[in-house]
Amino acid sequence: MSRLRLRLRLRPRLVVAALVAVALASTTAAALQVGFYRSTCPIAEDVVLEEMRLILLEDPTLAPSLLRMHYHDCFVQGCDASIMLRSRKGKAERDALPNRSMRGYDAIERIKARLETLCPLTVSCADIIAIAARDAVYLSKGPWYDVETGRRDGGVAVAEYAENDLPPPDSNIVDVKTFFSVKSLDSKDIAVLFGCHTIGTSHCGPIQQRLYNFTGRMDQDPSLDPAYAAQLKKLCPPPAGGVGDGGLGDEGKTKVPLDPGSNYTFDLSYYRHVLATGGVFRSDRSLLDDPVTKGYVEKVANATSPDEYYADFAAAMVKMGRTDVLEGELGEIRPTCGIFVD
């Protein structure tokens, strides 16, 4: 298969941990483990949580960015912190179009610097990203779950890989399933992980084609709720440079909530929003075009309790966090995360 262009609160810790253990019991045991740093840096996760509290107190909008960073890191060469690497030539993962709006690099470096003073050359950047993503969810009133640790950091970052391996927001369900299946994630995982869109915003660029030129005939996506489309058009007028500028002009600086009304609270309302309006992205709406993902959206949208979804989310995040990790003698533990690769 070619690279797609393959284009492709009290902590509910014990309950969620138990459910995750059941959900993952049939999978092959990974070398990653909960408590990997128990003997080498036992305060590691406490330090990350403490720093995350301060970081989000200073800027709550970083929570969805740090959750997104873990996903973007894992989907490109595995969960190895290659997203943190820099290129003087602008050719690293962070320079790729899907990552140009990424924020949170400084937050990861801040956490890494603190850990280096306490446990030098011990905690990987990849693990910090994974733990910070969990804490971002928890501090957004979402579930707490145990994070497997023991990843090591990669030293290769190529912009093209990110552009090829991350499903674009205008993907249909066939493309979404292809991108996720390459990472051993199934239809349920897709439906669960898309729930990350319950927090965060988007620039206008990724949705302008859906609003103004869906089929190349200056039309609107017919699956988008008309009333909601009108709201989006008020926020995102047609771009001065024409549809397809990628949101890099002034129009692209406008922020559109992915889950209107609670876009910084981790809850179930994203699923209700998708069911009622078709969501912000075409890929959100695409969840309704597959029987498994649609059934899951409908189930969560009508749930009276978040508990089942929270357990599913925890299991899916653990599963994603195992993607192509570097362990043992592979990779490295470096003193800073954002080193230059050229």
Side-chain angles (χ1 to χ4, degrees), residues 72-73 76-77 82-83 91-96 99 156-159 162:
H72 279 218
D73 183 42
V76 183
Q77 302 189 93
S82 55
I83 193 171
K91 295 183 178 181
E93 285 176 32
R94 64 161 72 188
D95 302 307
N99 290 328
V156 176
V158 180

Side-chain angles (χ1 to χ4, degrees), residues 131-143:
I131 297 167
R134 185 272 311 280
D135 293 349
V137 170
Y138 173 64
L139 295 171
S140 298
K141 301 182 180 179

Side-chain angles (χ1 to χ4, degrees), residues 84-306:
M84 293 295 299
L85 296 171
R86 296 188 289 172
S87 166
R88 294 180 178 87
K89 300 177 182 178
K91 295 183 178 181
E93 285 176 32
R94 64 161 72 188
D95 302 307
L97 181 60
N99 290 328
R100 288 182 190 171
S101 62
M102 183 70 70
R103 301 165 59 236
Y105 299 110
D106 290 344
I108 298 299
E109 293 287 13
R110 168 176 167 173
I111 296 168
K112 175 64 169 174
R114 173 87 185 279
L115 285 169
E116 283 299 303
T117 65
L118 300 168
C119 311
L121 296 177
T122 301
V123 183
S124 70
C125 300
D127 280 342
I128 292 172
I129 292 172
I131 297 167
R134 185 272 311 280
D135 293 349
V137 170
Y138 173 64
L139 295 171
S140 298
K141 301 182 180 179
W144 175 275
Y145 57 93
D146 286 328
V147 175
E148 293 179 336
T149 45
R151 301 168 188 82
R152 290 169 66 84
D153 299 328
V156 176
V158 180
E160 183 182 359
Y161 295 171
E163 290 163 356
N164 288 339
D165 291 355
L166 290 165
D170 63 351
S171 297
N172 59 40
I173 192 60
V174 174
D175 285 346
V176 170
K177 290 172 71 174
T178 301
F179 279 106
F180 275 69
S181 67
V182 171
K183 308 303 175 185
S184 300
L185 297 168
D186 59 26
S187 293
K188 180 180 178 180
D189 297 322
I190 292 169
V192 172
L193 292 171
F194 264 55
C196 291
H197 289 174
T198 190
I199 56 175
T201 60
S202 170
H203 294 289
C204 288
I207 63 173
Q208 281 166 336
Q209 183 172 6
R210 190 181 188 203
L211 292 175
Y212 298 109
N213 196 25
F214 186 63
T215 65
R217 299 179 181 179
M218 306 308 289
D219 55 344
Q220 175 183 300
D221 181 355
S223 70
L224 186 59
D225 176 73
Y228 181 53
Q231 295 175 26
L232 291 175
K233 286 181 176 180
K234 288 181 181 179
L235 292 171
C236 301
V243 175
D245 70 351
L248 301 179
D250 290 341
E251 297 88 350
K253 296 178 181 178
T254 300
K255 298 291 183 68
V256 178
L258 299 179
D259 184 10
S262 66
N263 57 305
Y264 291 109
T265 301
F266 197 96
D267 54 24
L268 307 185
S269 59
Y270 162 78
Y271 293 98
R272 301 178 188 120
H273 177 58
V274 168
L275 203 56
T277 69
V280 173
F281 301 132
R282 183 188 182 191
S283 58
D284 292 322
R285 171 59 180 79
S286 79
L287 295 178
L288 304 181
D289 295 330
D290 175 85
V292 175
T293 55
K294 180 181 180 181
Y296 194 84
V297 170
E298 291 174 336
K299 180 174 73 170
V300 178
N302 292 295
T304 57
S305 166

